[in-house]
Amino acid sequence: MKKLFVFVYLLAAFCLLAQNEKIIFVETSDVHGAIYPYDFMMGKDAGGSLARVKTYVNTLRKENNVVLLDNGDILQGTPVVYYYNFVDTSATHLYARVMNYMEYDAASVGNHDIEPGHIVYDKFAKEVRFPWMAANAVSTETGKPYFEPYTIINKAGKKIAVLGMITPAVPNWLPPDIWSGIKFEDLVPSAKKWVKIIRDKHNPDILIGLFHSGAGRESGSTEEKVVENAGVLVGENVPGFDVIFVGHDHRGWNKTIKDPNGKDVIIAGTKSKAKDLAIVEVEFNGDNKTFSSSIVKLDETTPDLDYLNKFEKEFKTVEEYISREIGTLDKKLFMREAVFNNAPIIDLIHKVQLELTGADLSFAAPLSLNATLDKGAVYVKDMFSLYKYENLLYTMELSGKEIKDFLEYSYDLRYRTMGNKDEHLINVREVEKKKGRYRGFSAFKHSYYNFDDAEGIEYTVDVSKHYGERVTIKGFSDGRGFNTDSKYKVALNSYRGSGGGGHLTKGCGIEHDKLASRIVSSTEKDLRFYIMEWIKKEGDIKVTETKNWKVIPEEYFVFGKDRDYKYIFQK
């Protein structure tokens, strides 16, 4: 009798535990290649990284049911992923090995995962041991998702459905060859379609959205326009989600919204570089579910030693690769200078672009706010500071008027219209300066990587005038006349040439689907590769400053630059 009582007691306790089961969802997003807690460009320890994520997840897994998810943008951002994207392409990709080792349950595809091209992401999709998902990336050949659309995870006796999607704005930024054979559907109609399929076929206990798209709240028709950041729109328009994990915008999210039926939906997302995690806990009590969410910072988390040891050989391989000397400079170059005016560091990029393409003129922008190239030896690692993204180099045909309109648009993003010398020069926001830190990126009203200038023509930018009246092009630097009605060949990166930033579409008024017809030629490899090859060929580089454009009135510029440099960068 006593044994029977003990058995019944244990059975009851087991049933109670089963009823009060808890599942913890952990999201990484926009890790951008931060496999190691190390800054390869600066040669020092760095915050974040998957090594710290591994420590945190190990601790959780000891006493909890954990579902580990990633929300895209992993195959771009550090020399490590560049090396395994383009240099060592025969072995299983290091990032795939790392994620398999960490036992990710599922992941979504990000726009920067498409950026390396078909060869890279098609191979990667076969190497990971978990579903890599993008339900709204549809094969033009089969009409079915190019990647896996969703997955069902069984955890603690519960059926969990995870629907993965990617921002549909990929064609706005990347060349058609890179995403050939894929069309990108808007998130709301795609979610409606797949939620119905999932509900009818699986009837899950929990429905999770894993969207490489920002939370956003863009207005307009959710059925007819491409919405880049649509996490909230999906939650408000598609019933059934319990949690929507977002990413892409690097902002970090932890909020609750209502779906069309009035049900609470958690919107959660991390920032970037694995410096924090989005955590959602689900506690079951019979048929009831209780959700809670938080953002966990990993600043104080120690990197996992077993993880570091396991991937130490690959670390040393990449460190050796980026430490190779490729040339020398006779002068130190600063990217910060290029935010304000004509700068030698951008002139260097222009020089490479013009020599590679033979174009009449070149457009380029600063891509890394704090990049510097020291006087003396130049190393492979310096190229990742100088040129942050894996853009191709395009040659496009534009009219003289379109070139002027392009520059008017670019300088409207960069400069304010100044009424006197005591006003801001740069289009800045009113941002509170954090203790011990400068305002940096957050100070700019518009992204500084859209601050293109031109090389090959002589011109002025009058900041006392308004948009459309500022840029005066005097002629080409080689003495040729410049005509607004004539057609010219222009060198620019593929992000800009595909419509990124809006310079060609909003600025020049070229319809997006007409941009491809303007492309005269494209490089096969990324521009960073060609810059490295150019430096290797040149060897000893004598830095020149072309000074082919300037800001007027000069008094406005001098006072405005001094004021805004302190505002943006002074600690």
Side-chain angles (χ1 to χ4, degrees):
M1 189 69 180
K2 185 178 180 180
K3 290 182 179 179
L4 179 61
F5 174 78
V6 171
F7 174 77
V8 171
Y9 176 80
L10 291 174
L11 181 62
F14 175 81
C15 291
L16 184 62
L17 286 172
Q19 286 180 332
N20 289 278
E21 197 63 73
K22 182 169 70 173
I23 299 174
I24 300 178
F25 294 87
V26 178
E27 181 220 32
T28 56
S29 188
D30 299 272
V31 177
H32 286 286
I35 293 173
Y36 299 102
Y38 184 74
D39 186 327
F40 284 89
M41 282 86 87
M42 301 300 294
K44 63 180 183 180
D45 290 343
S49 86
L50 292 182
R52 287 188 168 88
V53 175
K54 186 68 166 67
T55 298
Y56 186 86
V57 172
N58 283 350
T59 302
L60 278 186
R61 281 174 171 161
K62 287 178 181 178
E63 298 182 357
N64 300 280
N65 299 298
V66 176
V67 176
L68 181 58
L69 304 170
D70 182 81
N71 213 355
D73 275 7
I74 55 179
L75 298 180
Q76 178 275 331
T78 65
V80 177
V81 287
Y82 182 87
Y83 184 83
Y84 287 96
N85 284 349
F86 305 115
V87 181
D88 182 358
T89 59
S90 58
T92 299
H93 199 292
L94 175 60
Y95 213 112
R97 282 182 276 154
V98 167
M99 294 184 80
N100 290 339
Y101 173 72
M102 293 179 68
E103 297 180 319
Y104 271 85
D105 292 283
S108 67
V109 182
N111 54 289
H112 282 293
D113 303 323
I114 301 295
E115 187 174 55
H118 268 288
I119 292 175
V120 175
Y121 61 78
D122 288 346
K123 174 175 175 283
F124 186 85
K126 297 173 184 176
E127 294 172 339
V128 292
R129 295 197 298 262
F130 51 83
W132 202 33
M133 307 178 297
N136 63 320
V138 179
S139 167
T140 56
E141 182 179 346
T142 67
K144 298 177 180 179
Y146 190 87
F147 302 91
E148 295 186 52
Y150 69 90
T151 188
I152 302 296
I153 300 169
N154 292 296
K155 186 77 67 171
K158 303 298 179 182
K159 189 184 294 184
I160 303 160
V162 183
L163 174 65
M165 293 199 290
I166 184 174
T167 175
V170 169
N172 293 348
W173 310 313
L174 300 178
D177 285 353
I178 285 177
W179 45 271
S180 62
I182 306 174
K183 65 177 180 179
F184 298 88
E185 297 178 345
D186 206 6
L187 268 67
V188 170
S190 189
K192 286 181 178 177
K193 168 187 172 181
W194 285 103
V195 166
K196 185 178 187 309
I197 291 171
I198 292 169
R199 288 291 188 200
D200 291 347
K201 189 173 181 179
H202 302 285
N203 191 28
D205 298 296
I206 301 174
L207 178 58
I208 304 290
L210 189 61
F211 304 156
H212 188 80
S213 176
R217 201 184 178 91
E218 298 177 50
S219 61
S221 168
T222 59
E223 301 288 347
E224 297 176 2
K225 62 177 277 190
V226 172
V227 182
E228 178 183 348
N229 297 306
V232 170
L233 271 179
V234 172
E236 290 178 339
N237 287 275
V238 184
F241 286 99
D242 295 294
V243 179
I244 292 177
F245 284 110
V246 294
H248 182 60
D249 61 9
H250 296 201
R251 292 183 59 183
W253 294 93
N254 182 19
K255 60 187 288 186
T256 301
I257 63 170
K258 298 287 187 183
D259 80 356
N261 298 329
K263 175 178 171 291
D264 285 345
V265 181
I266 291 175
I267 303 289
T270 68
K271 291 185 178 178
S272 65
K273 296 286 186 180
K275 293 183 178 181
D276 58 10
L277 298 169
I279 308 292
V280 174
E281 296 188 14
V282 187
E283 191 157 357
F284 294 87
N285 187 358
D287 293 331
N288 296 321
K289 294 176 292 186
T290 303
F291 292 84
S292 61
S293 57
S294 61
I295 301 295
V296 174
K297 294 184 177 180
L298 298 178
D299 313 52
E300 306 300 322
T301 304
T302 304
D304 183 71
L305 186 58
D306 290 338
Y307 172 105
L308 294 177
N309 288 337
K310 183 173 181 63
F311 300 109
E312 182 180 12
K313 178 183 176 182
E314 292 83 355
F315 176 90
K316 290 179 178 178
T317 298
V318 174
E319 192 172 38
E320 180 183 346
Y321 166 70
I322 65 164
S323 299
R324 296 174 186 171
E325 183 177 332
I326 56 175
T328 62
L329 280 174
D330 68 346
K331 178 181 178 180
K332 187 171 185 176
L333 302 180
F334 302 87
M335 192 65 81
R336 285 186 184 182
E337 185 181 4
V339 170
F340 299 93
N341 55 273
N342 190 349
I345 196 166
I346 300 297
D347 288 342
L348 178 65
I349 296 172
H350 282 307
K351 186 175 180 65
V352 176
Q353 292 189 167
L354 288 170
E355 287 192 16
L356 280 173
T357 62
D360 296 296
L361 68 150
S362 166
F363 290 137
L367 300 184
S368 303
L369 191 61
N370 296 316
T372 60
L373 294 179
D374 289 327
K375 179 181 177 180
V378 179
Y379 303 95
V380 169
K381 65 182 178 181
D382 296 320
M383 298 299 96
F384 291 87
S385 295
L386 174 66
Y387 212 88
K388 188 175 180 179
Y389 303 106
E390 279 79 69
N391 296 318
L392 303 178
L393 176 61
Y394 279 179
T395 306
M396 298 185 76
E397 185 178 74
L398 299 178
S399 70
K401 180 181 184 305
E402 288 168 341
I403 290 166
K404 181 184 184 303
D405 290 344
F406 183 108
L407 291 173
E408 288 282 0
Y409 179 86
S410 179
Y411 287 110
D412 187 57
L413 297 178
R414 187 191 302 226
Y415 298 137
R416 287 187 176 184
T417 298
M418 299 177 69
N420 58 67
K421 65 182 179 64
D422 296 319
E423 295 180 356
H424 283 290
L425 169 70
I426 299 295
N427 254 324
V428 293
R429 302 178 190 272
E430 295 300 325
V431 180
E432 183 179 352
K433 182 169 58 176
K434 294 182 180 179
K435 186 177 180 180
R437 299 187 65 183
Y438 54 81
R439 295 175 178 88
F441 185 89
S442 62
F444 296 100
K445 188 175 180 181
H446 304 287
S447 301
Y448 63 85
Y449 54 75
N450 286 324
F451 294 173
D452 286 62
D453 64 47
E455 185 69 56
I457 53 175
E458 305 290 314
Y459 64 99
T460 58
V461 183
D462 191 338
V463 293
S464 71
K465 294 182 179 179
H466 292 284
Y467 178 34
E469 303 173 343
R470 290 172 152 190
V471 177
T472 300
I473 300 173
K474 299 176 181 179
F476 284 95
S477 300
D478 61 9
R480 286 180 292 150
F482 182 88
N483 192 319
T484 55
D485 295 326
S486 297
K487 300 290 180 65
Y488 300 106
K489 291 181 180 179
V490 180
L492 73 176
N493 69 44
S494 56
Y495 171 77
R496 192 71 72 235
S498 299
H503 298 61
L504 293 173
T505 52
K506 297 177 184 177
C508 301
I510 303 171
E511 294 179 25
H512 190 271
D513 60 2
K514 299 291 197 312
L515 290 176
S517 67
R518 299 295 193 95
I519 300 171
V520 177
S521 64
S522 171
T523 58
E524 291 185 1
K525 296 184 178 181
D526 65 284
L527 183 52
R528 185 193 296 125
F529 169 83
Y530 292 105
I531 295 174
M532 285 193 285
E533 292 301 304
W534 183 86
I535 293 174
K536 288 178 188 177
K537 183 186 70 174
E538 293 293 315
D540 298 326
I541 300 169
K542 307 297 182 184
V543 176
T544 57
E545 187 175 2
T546 61
K547 297 182 179 180
N548 66 299
W549 68 274
K550 65 179 181 178
V551 179
I552 57 173
E554 187 171 354
E555 184 183 32
Y556 287 16
F557 169 73
V558 170
F559 280 87
K561 177 184 176 181
D562 182 64
R563 179 181 303 102
D564 287 345
Y565 191 93
K566 292 175 181 176
Y567 178 82
I568 297 167
F569 295 117
Q570 194 172 57
K571 293 183 178 180

